[in-house]
Each structure stands twice: as structure tokens, then as C-alpha cells.
Amino acid sequence: MQSDEQEGPREKDKSAQVLGVAAKTAMALRWVQDILNLYDAYDEIIRVSFSECQSMRQSIHDAFIKVINANSRAPELLSLFMDDSLKNGLKRKGEQEIDHLLERSVLMFRFLQNKDAFEHYYKLHLAKRLLLGRSLSDDAEHSLVSKLKVECGSQFTLKLEGMFKDMQLSSDLAYGFKESGAADADFDLSLSVLTPTYWPALAPPMSEEAKLEMQSVEPPPGVLRTSVEAFTQYYLHHRSGRRLAWQYNMGNADIKLQFGTRTYELNVSTYQMFILTLFADIDDLSLTTTEIQQQTRIPIEALTRQLQSLACAKYKILSKTPVSREVGPNDRFAFNNNFKSAQYRIRIPVVAAKASVETEKEKSESMAAIGLERQYVVEAAIVRIMKTRKQMVHEQLVTETIKQLSARFLPTPKLIKEAIGRLIDREYLQRSPDDPRLYNYLA
């Protein structure tokens, strides 16, 4: 379906915003590549002209550390660069070229002072690559994590390795479910069973009300719900004592739909599949946004975005009344039998599915999450130190804490002082009655 209406100011503003995000992302990737190219140039100068002079090399390293960390977004941009490389940048590259790219990426990681911020972003990007099947090479993924492990130790990569383990176990579970005969032969269910502690980046903090909304979503009656119930029963039978919580907002599906005399294969999100299932086998059915929400229980904000993708974007799978980009509670949707496309297989874009540079609001939320994680890390380091030393003065404890954590990030004296205060309140530490600067460890 095509419209002869001209784009309004709001649509133009949105298009400009999308182009702006794409341009910023391209600039971010180019910034990292320029840094790596510059390092390669200096590396060759040191080898050829200075005979591997170590003092010269150290000076170059110090300069790169200063330049890279002057950019507050460096951890995010490096993770974004690695994400793009593992999804797109390895095409038509030989084994040596891939290894060089990974080595140089890890070298830049070595120069970062806030490695915990990089870990935050890398977990998010890795999770999306694994769940959406976007990575070009499993070997490259494992190789990069191994290199990060050498740099920062097993604790740094524990959750990353846990993600790989979950994906392998999920594959085994899916195979066992299929072989058991409990799976519906007409419906191919592929799923990932994830350990929440390994995937925190995909489980952002939310209110109890929002959690209840997410948990209330369920597939429409039919083969979808039957398959979900069958796998739940199979899983709990083989994993007694476990609890299975379905995250429908993270999935996608391949479905075949017939429009008139033509058939197309669509790749859609799980939420979009739930919506389209409501229109199956019922001619001329139309539903309002409210009616769709009542039948699927998809949270209204998520439902609005999914309906916009299905009815207001490039591929208008559903027709909408009234015709506009905004979705209201009483807007009516129907299956668009007049839909046509030159492509047989069509991917319906999911909002914010593509990795991009964070907005200022998203960056603020990420820094808040990183800051909260740092509080726990600092407290744990102080407890480890005091458990060994039993008694320390304030200045010594601050210095030792910075020394232990400098490989991940540089904690400020203020952050350490606040952590000490919380540990005193929780009776892990005690101020000496004779000297307020002296702390005693309480076993």
C-alpha cells in the first residue's frame, strides 16, 4: 500500500533523528578505527626507526592512554566497534587479519581506565549477538573473550563465558525436547534458556508493576500456547527445583503469511507474531489497540512500538484507521490483504534493534547502573582487605583499595569513603574508639 500524502514536519524530524543516530554511530566506529590505524603507524616507526626502543614504546603507550581516556565514551565506542567487527567486519578476512583485528581491539581495551564500563556495554552487545544469531564467527567470539580473560582474569569474563554456556545448554535442551516427541511437529520452537545472573544487561531495573506486566504476557490460544506449555512441562520435569520465566520481548519468529494470492515469509518479533496470530483465519477482522492489548497483555508502550512497525513503517502488514504514525487506544487495525512486495522474505524492523551510540538519556542510565555496580565492587574489595589485615588506618585502606581495583577502574577517595561508611553501618567494620581514623574488621 502506498500513500500520495507528503511527509509532515513530524515525520521529517524523525527521519533526521534516525539519520543523526546513524551518522553518530558511523563516526564512533571511525574514531576507534582511526585510533587503531594511528597506533599501527607509530608501531611501525618504533620497529623500523627506533629498533624497538622500550622507552619510546612506553612513551607512545602513555600518550595513547591519555588520548583514549580523554573521550568519556571510549568504553562504549570500543565495545560498539568490536560488535560491528564481529557482525560485519570479519567478512572476506583471512585468519591472520581477524587475529590482528582482535589483538588491536584488546590493545585498545588495555589502554582503557574504566574497564568495568566496557564490560557493561560488551555484555549487552554480546547478548544481542548471541540471541539474534548475528555473529559471523563463533571462533572469533571465543577467541576475543579468551584474550580479555588473559588481560583481566577469569572474574572479568565469568558472565561472558556463562552466556556461551547457556547457549550450548539451550541447544541441548531444544534437541532433547524435539526428540522426546512432546514438540508440535508443525511448529519449530527454537529457544534459549538463560541464567539471569549472566544476562543482567537484558534485564534492566524496572518497577514491580512493570515486572508484573511483563510476566502477564501470554501467547494467544492455539499452537503457540500449546508449544510453550509443553516445553515448560518438559523443562521442569528434567530440571526439578528450577523456575522458568518466559521473556517474550526478546524473541523473534519466521512465519508464512498469505496476502491475496501471494505468500511471503516474514521475520518478526515474538510480540508481532502474537499480534498477527489474532488475525489468522478470520476474514475482515479489525481490532482496536485496547482490544489487542487485552488479548495479548503486551505492555502498552511495547505494543505501541510493535503496531507502528506493522502498520506505519515501510512494510504495512496491517492497515490502520485513522492513517497516521501515532497509535491511540481506539485506533483500529486489520490484516492488509492488499500488501505486495518484490521480496519473498521480509524482515520487519524491530525498534532499536540496531546497535548505535547511546543517547544522553541512555548514557545517564548506563552510568547509573555502572555506578551502582562499582559500589558493590568497592565494598567487596574493602572487606577482602580488612579480612586479611584486621586493622588499618584510613589512608592505607584507601590506597590499598585503589591499588586492587585499578585494573578495572580508578575509584575516587570519596567513593571509597562512602563505601566504608556503609560497611560500618552494616557492622562489617568498626571505628577504633581511640582513633577515628583506625578501622577494625568485625568477623
Side-chain angles (χ1 to χ4, degrees), residues 261-277:
T261 59
R262 294 190 177 192
T263 300
Y264 299 95
E265 184 175 311
L266 306 184
N267 177 256
V268 297
S269 69
T270 304
Y271 277 171
Q272 290 170 345
M273 177 175 63
F274 289 178
I275 295 168
L276 292 173
T277 301

Side-chain angles (χ1 to χ4, degrees), residues 31 46 57 100 109 113 139 199 213 217 225 285 326 374 390 404 423-424 441:
W31 180 80
I46 293 172
R57 184 172 290 281
H100 178 77
F109 165 78
Q113 291 176 339
D139 290 340
W199 305 77
E213 281 187 341
V217 179
R225 186 180 296 182
L285 174 68
E326 302 303 318
R374 285 181 176 179
K390 305 303 182 185
Q404 287 204 11
L423 291 173
I424 291 174
Y441 177 70

Side-chain angles (χ1 to χ4, degrees), residues 195-210:
T195 306
T197 53
Y198 294 154
W199 305 77
L202 294 183
M206 60 177 67
S207 65
E208 288 301 318
E209 182 181 357

Side-chain angles (χ1 to χ4, degrees), residues 33-315:
Q33 187 62 63
D34 288 345
I35 291 287
L36 297 179
N37 291 340
L38 186 61
Y39 184 87
D40 282 341
Y42 277 107
D43 183 59
E44 185 175 2
I45 291 173
I46 293 172
R47 285 189 294 103
V48 175
S49 303
F50 291 90
S51 303
E52 288 287 354
C53 175
Q54 290 306 307
S55 61
M56 186 68 175
R57 184 172 290 281
Q58 186 60 50
S59 297
I60 295 298
H61 280 202
D62 292 343
F64 271 89
I65 289 172
K66 186 175 181 179
V67 168
I68 290 170
N69 290 286
N71 187 340
S72 62
R73 286 183 178 267
E76 176 195 356
L77 303 188
L78 177 58
S79 178
L80 195 63
F81 176 82
M82 290 181 174
D83 180 63
D84 183 73
S85 297
L86 290 164
K87 290 191 300 187
N88 306 307
L90 303 184
K91 293 177 181 177
R92 297 181 295 277
K93 287 187 183 293
E95 187 174 335
Q96 289 185 339
E97 291 177 296
I98 292 174
D99 191 61
H100 178 77
L101 179 64
L102 297 182
E103 286 286 355
R104 282 295 183 254
S105 298
V106 172
L107 176 69
M108 185 168 172
F109 165 78
R110 191 180 303 152
F111 293 151
L112 289 176
Q113 291 176 339
N114 295 326
K115 292 182 173 62
D116 60 331
F118 169 85
E119 181 190 10
H120 169 84
Y121 291 110
Y122 191 81
K123 283 189 293 188
L124 175 61
H125 291 143
L126 174 62
K128 290 183 177 180
R129 289 197 303 275
L130 293 178
L131 292 178
L132 300 177
R134 298 288 173 81
S135 182
L136 290 177
S137 170
D138 289 340
D139 290 340
E141 292 281 6
H142 285 280
S143 176
L144 184 52
V145 171
S146 296
K147 293 178 188 297
L148 294 174
K149 187 174 183 179
V150 171
E151 289 293 323
C152 290
S154 59
Q155 191 64 32
F156 185 86
T157 58
L158 179 65
K159 291 181 179 179
L160 304 179
E161 292 172 322
M163 291 181 182
F164 290 124
K165 184 178 179 181
D166 275 354
M167 297 306 291
Q168 181 58 53
L169 291 175
S170 296
S171 178
D172 296 341
L173 272 171
Y175 178 78
F177 176 59
K178 189 174 182 179
E179 290 296 305
S180 71
D184 192 304
D186 297 326
F187 185 75
D188 186 12
L189 180 66
S190 176
L191 44 83
S192 300
V193 182
L194 312 178
T195 306
T197 53
Y198 294 154
W199 305 77
L202 294 183
M206 60 177 67
S207 65
E208 288 301 318
E209 182 181 357
K211 288 181 181 178
L212 290 174
E213 281 187 341
M214 293 285 291
Q215 294 169 4
S216 69
V217 179
E218 61 179 9
V223 65
L224 296 177
R225 186 180 296 182
T226 301
S227 296
V228 167
E229 291 171 349
F231 180 81
T232 300
Q233 185 176 3
Y234 171 83
Y235 178 82
L236 296 179
H237 176 72
H238 289 82
R239 300 287 192 279
S240 59
R242 301 284 185 89
R243 187 174 68 89
L244 198 62
W246 290 83
Q247 302 290 325
Y248 298 113
N249 60 310
M250 298 181 188
N252 63 86
D254 291 326
I255 58 176
K256 287 185 178 179
L257 293 179
Q258 186 170 344
F259 299 84
T261 59
R262 294 190 177 192
T263 300
Y264 299 95
E265 184 175 311
L266 306 184
N267 177 256
V268 297
S269 69
T270 304
Y271 277 171
Q272 290 170 345
M273 177 175 63
F274 289 178
I275 295 168
L276 292 173
T277 301
L278 300 177
F279 297 93
D281 303 323
I282 303 178
D283 295 333
D284 301 324
L285 174 68
S286 66
L287 297 169
T288 64
T289 304
T290 301
E291 290 169 339
I292 294 172
Q293 203 275 331
Q294 289 172 346
Q295 294 189 48
T296 61
R297 300 182 185 177
I298 298 172
I300 190 62
E301 288 186 8
L303 178 62
T304 298
R305 293 194 299 270
Q306 303 298 335
L307 288 173
Q308 285 175 327
S309 296
L310 290 170
C312 307
K314 179 179 179 181
Y315 302 107

Side-chain angles (χ1 to χ4, degrees), residues 361-378:
K361 180 183 178 182
E362 291 170 336
K363 183 186 176 185
S364 176
E365 292 172 351
S366 291
M367 293 311 298
I370 293 168
L372 184 61
E373 181 69 20
R374 285 181 176 179
Q375 290 181 14
Y376 301 142
V377 172
V378 171

